[in-house]
Amino acid sequence: MPVADRLAPGIRLVDGRGGLAAVEVTVPAATALIYLHGAHVAGFTPAGHQPVLWMSEFGVFSDDAPLRGGVPICFPWFGPNKTDAAAPNHGWARLAGWSLVDTKRLGDAARLTFELTQNSAGVPAGFHPFTAHYFVTVGAQLELELTVRNDGATLLSFEEAFHTYFGVGDVTTSVLTGLETLPYLDRSITPASTGSSLLPVTFHGREIDRLYPMPPELTLVDPANDRSITAVAWNAAQTVVWNAGELKASAIADFGDAEWTRTACVETCNVGDNLVTIAPGVTHRMQVAITATKSPANTSNTDSTTERTPMQKLSNSVVPARTELPTKVIQFGEGNFLRAFVDWQIQQMNDQGLFNGGVKIVQPLAGGRVADLDAQDGLFTVLLEGLHEGEEVESHEVITVVNGTVDPYLDYQAYLGLAADDDIEFIVSNTTEAGIAFDTRDRLDDAPQPSFPGKLTALLFRRFTLGKKGFHIIPCELIEQNGPKLKEAVQKTAALWSLGADFDAWLNESNTFYSTLVDRIVPGHPADRAAALAEEFGYEDSSLVKAEPFLLWVIEGPKALEDILPLRRAGLNVTVTDNMTPYRERKVFLLNGPHTTMAAIFRLDGVETVRDVMTDAELAAFINAEMYEEIIPVLDLPHDELAAYAESVKERFENPFMHHELASIALNTASKFRSRLLPILLSFHTKNNALPPRITLALSALLLTYSGDPAVTVQPVDGAETLEIFHAEYLAAPGDLKAYVGAILATDTLWGTDLTAVAGLTAQVAAGIESLRGRGVRATLADLSVTASAPTAAHA
């Protein structure tokens, strides 16, 4: 029976990414996050450590897709199903809905019990009767135990694995010990072959996929994080060691190109010849215990017998003494974007003596990374690389504005104590994991509240009770009208908690909530170059973040903000306005729109990156014409301003330091087309009584890619329910493109309206599909009918 109403102390149900239900664990020794979807352990962070488990920043979080990273449970088979090619890879247990049936506190640790049976959601009808229990113990170490009982009348056979993705600072410097002298099956080549090595396993950018016998103990040395991660297993015959490597990572949709450097899979399993077979009534169990231990010194992976001289880590001993600054900003979020965007800008103001304020960073979710910053005395480096006004920019700067961090999951009173600081004027946020959403489960006496609005309301209420002034609240979450939406969530929370009319009046009169538009491409930590950059800088920085030189911040609110937050006086590209809608549309339509066009059309021609598009004269001309002939004419801003922005966007697209994969842009192309390109198509049609040919061709490419046609080798990256709509209509009208297109365009759940009402659209989209499928991308572009005049030389 579910136990949501009687959870042990330190355990709470929360909404995770994608709205998936999850269990958050906070005990003195560690924090953890486990999704009910697949009973997926997505986070484990012992006190004083970086996260031990890695999760992809490009993962798809939906109830019909597996999660990338953490600890997926593979059951009842491992890898592809041997008899059904359409069956999910690694079995259905990691897609099924597990039930949380028990929670216990065991001293400073917590134990959770999840259950799966043949009657659970996601378990195929007719599967052999069974009961599986998954015991997750969170403390100084992470203990995982899977038991499977045969409830049927005949033998039950299955494979099983804990497909553990360990997080490391830089896998190219990591070493896996414990497997020396053991034979392995190398599955990264076809056919697979056997081998052995007297050396520890190292990772150099090529795919590693090896099946070993399970040794008594495995140790992954993680020198970039000054630690070792040890795994000890019971009743597991084998371990699989896997790392995607550079080439394979770039081909996996939910795996960032450089993310292979941040993780190593060391799996606990019984697979292949060691599959488990149990008699009726018998229970089988498999266990693993995972421990992270600080290391006194780094280990080199280039020669296991030679110790390299450790590089000094970024800290106050590396950077000259900093002037003590009063804390003026509370920042909810420690991620790459806020550090390379907001903190970098505060640094520029401080450098010019315009602000003289520091930042206190609050970790908004359990399992965050504030411990990384604390280990570096709040210091980190921002690396800027790209084109700016035609010149290549390569620079780096140590950011010194962070006065400290607060983890409310470990010290909630320190978090509430921020309300007493009279110097604090601003609150900024980018809580991408939790988002701006009212949560009815938040309680004032929670420590802390599950949601960001809940935490913020508690802080504001403490500020109110102390009789102090309010804040300027500037959210940076990528949602429209983020300021009013955050305020609404706070007001609903205050009403839920019955905080009273006086607090409501103070909230309205003493606090200002601003809406924002943020724009800077921040690829994140350049792990593939971390060692070389450390040599160049003279120190290691685990929180190093790379960004492009371009920056735009549009803030909707009173002009008085410019006096107390002098960003423009610091020479930064910041606009405070009473109407940000034109600026939002400019970005969405002139930057995000062409991105979506590229991903939809040019992936069909084998083009891989945005820069590949812009260095191809034919494709670059296509994007240029889309901007100047189809998008700019229907936007409500002065033409010269739009043209200047378009040129800056093209310069960013051409950035030689960025490797922006079209495959990553292609995620959820259908919904992106609806928000980024469809409004332009409809406005263009209304204004000109004609269709914009390039955007219409992007729609054709989308429908072709999503059709499921076996001749199309490009795979769409979208939710299963969305893809099923396209597949079903394509199969329902074999050979009849107009019928397929008409059915899809008429599906208002996809587009918000019936697009068959747009004159000529069905026929032109069908013609585009036929040409792309039959003649290819290049021939289709060559014959594209262009009705608008070409751009002037000044805009070319």
Side-chain angles (χ1 to χ4, degrees), residues 672-689:
K672 287 177 178 176
F673 187 95
R674 174 176 174 173
S675 62
R676 300 174 175 184
L677 291 173
L678 183 57
I680 299 296
L681 185 151
L682 296 175
S683 296
F684 187 98
H685 184 267
T686 299
K687 183 175 181 179
N688 301 292
N689 197 28

Side-chain angles (χ1 to χ4, degrees), residues 670-671 674 678 721-722 724-726 729 743-755:
S671 62
R674 174 176 174 173
L678 183 57
E721 291 183 5
T722 299
E724 180 57 30
I725 295 172
F726 289 85
E729 296 297 350
I744 292 297
L745 296 187
T747 306
D748 59 6
T749 56
L750 291 172
W751 319 113
T753 187
D754 181 354
L755 291 181

Side-chain angles (χ1 to χ4, degrees), residues 390-412:
E391 300 292 330
E392 285 193 1
V393 175
E394 292 183 80
S395 67
H396 71 277
E397 180 178 11
V398 175
I399 305 303
T400 62
V401 303
V402 177
N403 286 344
T405 68
V406 177
D407 183 347
Y409 294 88
L410 298 180
D411 192 346
Y412 185 65

Side-chain angles (χ1 to χ4, degrees), residues 336-345 347-348 351 380-388 391-399 519-524 526 529 533 536-537 539 541 543-552 572 655-658:
N336 290 323
F337 180 80
L338 280 182
R339 291 188 291 111
F341 187 77
V342 172
D343 297 341
W344 182 87
Q345 291 185 79
Q347 179 91 9
Q348 309 316 303
D351 288 347
F380 61 92
T381 311
V382 172
L383 172 68
L384 298 184
E385 292 184 328
L387 296 173
H388 182 62
E391 300 292 330
E392 285 193 1
V393 175
E394 292 183 80
S395 67
H396 71 277
E397 180 178 11
V398 175
I399 305 303
D519 189 2
R520 173 174 252 184
I521 296 173
V522 180
R529 300 165 52 205
L533 290 170
E536 178 185 342
F537 300 162
Y539 58 81
D541 181 358
S543 294
L544 168 67
V545 56
K546 173 181 171 179
E548 66 170 341
F550 178 89
L551 174 149
L552 170 67
L572 301 170
N655 188 345
F657 300 97
M658 295 291 181

Side-chain angles (χ1 to χ4, degrees), residues 39-110:
H40 193 111
V41 180
F44 170 62
T45 306
H49 282 268
Q50 296 184 20
V52 169
L53 301 177
W54 169 88
M55 290 293 291
S56 173
E57 294 183 11
F58 297 86
V60 177
F61 285 77
S62 70
D63 55 12
D64 54 8
L67 308 187
R68 173 69 68 181
V71 188
I73 299 174
C74 304
F75 175 88
W77 63 83
F78 183 81
N81 187 283
K82 297 176 177 58
T83 59
D84 183 1
N89 203 37
H90 291 314
W92 34 254
R94 63 181 185 154
L95 298 169
W98 293 65
S99 299
L100 178 64
V101 295
D102 189 39
T103 65
K104 287 187 175 69
R105 283 300 296 266
L106 306 173
D108 287 341

Side-chain angles (χ1 to χ4, degrees), residues 126 151 165 196 212 264 271 447 497 557 621 692 732:
D151 293 335
Y165 290 79
S196 64
Y212 288 88
V271 301
W497 297 348

Side-chain angles (χ1 to χ4, degrees), residues 438 453-454 457-458 461 487-501 503-504 507:
F438 169 60
T457 306
F461 185 63
K487 182 177 183 179
E488 179 185 14
V490 169
Q491 289 173 321
K492 287 183 176 179
T493 306
L496 177 69
W497 297 348
S498 302
L499 298 184
F503 172 72
D504 191 57
L507 183 68

